[in-house]
Amino acid sequence: MSRYFCLDHPEVLTLATEVVDARPGRVVLAESPFYPGGGGQLPDRGTLAWSGGEVAISGFESEGGRLWQRFAEPVELPPGPVEARVDGPFRQLMRALHTDLHIVNAVVFQEFDGALVTGVQMNGDGTARIDFDLPDADNERLRAIEGTVNALIRQDLAVRQSHVAEATVFTESGLIRSRSVAPPPTSDGQVRIVEIVGLDRQACGGTHLASTGASPPISILKIDNKGRHNRRLRIGLSGVA
């Protein structure tokens, strides 16, 4: 997979670019600011504008190493200049949720003997769920991490990214936190690492805040036992969910 523009430039919400291929209801852009979703994070929302009008983006599809932007209507665009516009508030919501899930992940990993994630899903209403392999965990002890997570948010820790060779991801302890999936390498064999400075470092392919303090506090809404091993934490952003 090639590196997404949005991961290197998450603050860019409007981008002048060009249509390089088109079919009814979808296009390939020379450069796309949209995050197409993955790893439990929802895809960006937004629109594409050109001299003849504007159309909403309804989804994304990877085909032959290229990212197609799907439209909500079956329009066909000619090759040429367009303006891609990302829905800023929704992007910010996903960035905050994803960053906070990293903090939750880090706290659980540290306080519960390296417990691994078994599933994640972020929602458009400011809530998310994260599942851990925690067969013997006490739910009240899990609920008590809310204060620790919010203290880390308030510390306004910097969030930064780097890339390491794919082999490093499997030899350096703690970079892989999921039992089932790992972020795919880029076309040059690198894997993206997201670091919350002073707290956490792990492989991840989503969008995040520049620092933790840009997120509102979180609430742990519910803890469910899912089978013999899984504990599911449902979280919400205060003032949103």
Side-chain angles (χ1 to χ4, degrees):
M1 144 186 127
S2 59
R3 286 172 61 167
Y4 293 136
F5 177 93
C6 63
L7 298 183
D8 292 329
H9 310 280
E11 310 296 339
V12 175
L13 301 177
T14 301
L15 183 67
T17 182
E18 292 195 355
V19 172
V20 296
D21 198 357
R23 298 174 188 170
R26 59 180 182 159
V27 295
V28 175
L29 301 177
E31 195 78 81
S32 173
F34 298 108
Y35 178 68
Q41 181 175 338
L42 297 177
D44 277 337
R45 300 171 181 173
T47 59
L48 200 66
W50 72 105
S51 60
E54 182 175 306
V55 66
I57 301 292
S58 63
F60 305 89
E61 181 180 343
S62 181
E63 180 184 296
R66 300 195 300 173
L67 182 66
W68 288 86
Q69 339 279 304
R70 296 200 311 267
F71 300 153
E73 305 170 41
V75 298
E76 185 166 4
L77 270 64
V82 292
E83 186 172 81
R85 302 168 181 168
V86 178
D87 181 328
F90 186 76
R91 161 74 68 83
Q92 187 70 3
L93 178 68
M94 288 295 106
R95 293 173 72 192
L97 273 176
H98 205 152
T99 303
D100 294 341
L101 287 170
H102 273 247
I103 298 173
V104 171
N105 186 346
V107 172
V108 170
F109 187 79
Q110 293 168 11
E111 295 190 8
F112 292 84
D113 301 319
L116 296 179
V117 173
T118 56
V120 174
Q121 182 61 56
M122 290 164 248
N123 305 311
D125 61 357
T127 66
R129 58 94 171 163
I130 181 167
D131 299 352
F132 291 97
D133 184 5
L134 284 169
D136 302 314
D138 177 81
N139 285 356
E140 290 309 308
R141 185 181 166 210
L142 267 174
R143 189 178 298 279
I145 72 169
E146 179 182 303
T148 304
V149 171
N150 284 328
L152 290 164
I153 290 173
R154 289 193 300 270
Q155 286 182 36
D156 199 22
L157 303 173
V159 182
R160 62 192 184 192
Q161 67 169 352
S162 60
H163 288 79
V164 300
E166 183 179 8
T168 302
V169 175
F170 299 99
T171 57
E172 186 175 329
S173 177
L175 291 185
I176 296 292
R177 299 286 180 79
S178 173
R179 280 213 174 276
S180 56
V181 297
T186 59
S187 55
D188 58 358
Q190 301 285 301
V191 172
R192 181 169 175 261
I193 303 298
V194 172
E195 179 182 9
I196 301 177
V197 177
L199 174 68
D200 188 50
R201 188 167 179 264
Q202 62 175 289
C204 184
T207 61
H208 305 82
L209 299 170
S211 64
T212 63
S215 172
I218 65 111
S219 298
I220 294 180
L221 305 174
K222 190 177 181 183
I223 298 176
D224 294 319
N225 296 347
K226 292 293 182 178
R228 295 181 59 187
H229 287 268
N230 283 343
R231 293 293 185 276
R232 173 168 294 176
L233 278 69
R234 299 182 184 274
I235 72 166
L237 299 179
S238 298
V240 178

